[in-house]
Amino acid sequence: MFEKVKQIIEENVDCGNVKIVLETDLISDLQVNSLDLVELVCAFEVAFDIVVPEKDIRKLSKVSDIVAYLEKRVA
Amino acid sequence: MKVFFAPAAPYALARAWTDGIWEDKARRVERMRRDSDKALALTAHRLLCYALKTVYGIVPRPQDFSLMARGKPYLAAEPDVHFSISHSGGMAMCAVHSEPVGADIEKVRPVGKGVPERVMSAAEYRLYMDAEDRQTLFFQIWTLKEAFIKYSGEGLGIPLKSFTVCPSGSGVDTDTGCAFWLMQPAAGYQAAVCAKGGAGPDILMVSEEQLARQLGR
C-alpha cells in the first residue's frame, strides 16, 4: 500500500527532492495546498475505486494517515 | 479594501523577513524542506506586515497575532483590522479590510481528472461544461470558493459543492450573501477576494525593493 500511495503522490505533487516516507506531512513537508489535496484525493479514488467523503479529507495529513485510511477503506 | 500582490523574493533576501512572524507560522516555515517554499511563505508574511504598516500604521509583533479554531490568524487587539494572505507558484497576495475578508491566489495549471466534478456545485459545473476556456473558468470558480472559505475561517470544513459562486464577474452573490471580486495580478495567475460588502478593492503591486525596506515602528 505504501509504495502505491508514494507513487500517486509523486505523480500528482511537485515533491522536488523530498523523499516520501511514512512520516512525510503533505502540508508542512510538501506544501500541498487545498487544490493539490483535492487532486490527490481524486487520484486515490480512481486508483482504489473508492469515494472519499469531504469530511475525511482533513484527516489525511501524513502519508501514514493516508496509508492507514486506504487500508481500512479497501479491506 | 486593499489587495497587495508581490512576486516571491529570492530566499537569500526573504530569509531575514521573520519580524512579527507568529510562533506557529515560524515553525511551519522552519519545517519546509525547500528554500523556494520558505521564500514564498516569508514573502507573503512580509507582504502582510507591509500592508498593515501602509494602511493602518501597525507593525505587529509575534504575540499580537491569535489564531482562530481552524488556524486563520487575526490581530486580537485590532477588531476593525481584517486580513487574509495567500500564495501560489511565485506570487504572494494579502487583502486588508475593515470587515472579515478572504483571499486566494492560484497559479493556473491543468488540474487532475475528476476535480471539477468534485468541487463544483451543479450550477457551476454546468457553466464549466459550457465554457470555451474551461481551465480559466475552473480557476475563477476555485479561487472564488477558496476566498469564501477563507473569509468564513472554516477551511475545508465547508463542503465545496455546498455553495455556488458567481464566476461571471464581481458583485454580490445570492447564495453566500457575500461580495466577490476576481483579479489577474500577473500572467498565469488567478486571484479572488470575498467580503461581506464595502467598496471594491484597490489593487497594489509591491516590489521586492519595497518589501526589503525597513518596516520598523
Side-chain angles (χ1 to χ4, degrees):
Chain A
M1 179 63 81
F2 167 71
E3 285 303 322
K4 182 77 178 163
V5 167
K6 178 172 175 271
Q7 183 195 338
I8 292 171
I9 292 172
E10 286 171 344
E11 284 170 0
N12 286 274
V13 177
D14 172 17
C15 298
N17 55 3
V18 178
K19 192 165 177 268
I20 306 295
V21 293
L22 281 170
E23 291 72 35
T24 303
D25 188 287
L26 295 178
I27 295 165
S28 59
D29 294 329
L30 296 176
Q31 298 309 296
V32 162
N33 66 17
S34 304
L35 181 54
D36 299 326
L37 193 55
V38 171
E39 287 191 277
L40 255 186
V41 167
C42 286
F44 290 134
E45 288 181 331
V46 171
F48 294 98
D49 195 21
I50 56 167
V51 174
V52 179
E54 209 139 356
K55 65 178 173 51
D56 290 351
I57 294 180
R58 273 184 287 151
K59 299 174 189 168
L60 308 177
S61 177
K62 286 190 170 188
V63 172
S64 56
D65 300 332
I66 298 170
V67 169
Y69 179 81
L70 292 173
E71 279 175 343
K72 200 169 148 192
R73 289 295 312 275
V74 300
Chain B
M1 183 197 303
K2 293 193 189 305
V3 182
F4 298 79
F5 293 98
Y11 181 59
L13 179 64
R15 66 188 304 174
W17 292 345
T18 54
D19 290 356
I21 198 163
W22 57 94
E23 199 182 327
D24 173 68
K25 179 97 175 183
R27 223 175 12 242
R28 280 189 283 135
V29 172
E30 187 62 37
R31 277 202 65 183
M32 291 174 183
R33 308 278 189 94
R34 292 173 291 208
D35 287 352
S36 57
D37 292 334
K38 292 183 183 187
L40 184 58
L42 290 169
T43 299
H45 173 72
R46 184 71 167 188
L47 189 62
L48 167 64
C49 293
Y50 178 89
L52 291 173
K53 176 75 194 285
T54 305
V55 180
Y56 300 104
I58 296 170
V59 180
R61 299 165 301 176
Q63 64 268 35
D64 295 332
F65 290 99
S66 297
L67 298 178
M68 293 179 185
R70 297 212 187 275
K72 185 179 181 180
Y74 66 100
L75 290 167
E78 303 285 351
D80 296 325
V81 175
H82 300 269
F83 59 86
S84 181
I85 56 178
S86 179
H87 51 73
S88 176
M91 290 288 292
M93 171 187 193
C94 174
V96 293
H97 194 30
S98 55
E99 294 187 55
V101 62
D104 188 56
I105 184 169
E106 295 287 346
K107 185 175 183 182
V108 175
R109 57 178 175 79
V111 291
K113 198 167 171 273
V115 174
E117 299 94 305
R118 184 172 185 103
V119 302
M120 290 179 183
S121 68
E124 289 163 348
Y125 191 63
R126 275 196 301 275
L127 275 177
Y128 170 79
M129 291 305 289
D130 290 342
E132 274 183 35
D133 183 351
R134 289 183 181 170
Q135 182 168 269
T136 297
L137 187 69
F138 173 83
F139 277 94
Q140 288 175 342
I141 290 174
W142 175 269
T143 53
L144 289 165
K145 281 178 170 285
E146 276 283 291
F148 174 70
I149 282 172
K150 290 176 77 174
Y151 153 84
S152 73
E154 286 296 315
L156 283 178
I158 300 178
L160 289 161
K161 291 178 90 153
S162 70
F163 63 97
T164 298
V165 293
C166 174
S168 59
S170 304
V172 175
D173 183 271
T174 50
D175 200 8
T176 59
C178 288
F180 289 89
W181 292 272
L182 282 168
M183 49 202 81
Q184 282 185 292
Y189 287 87
Q190 180 67 56
V193 287
C194 167
K196 204 69 195 172
D202 293 331
I203 298 168
L204 299 102
M205 297 301 296
V206 182
S207 69
E208 187 179 302
E209 291 73 25
Q210 286 172 293
L211 291 180
R213 279 182 212 136
Q214 181 59 256
L215 296 178
R217 287 159 208 280

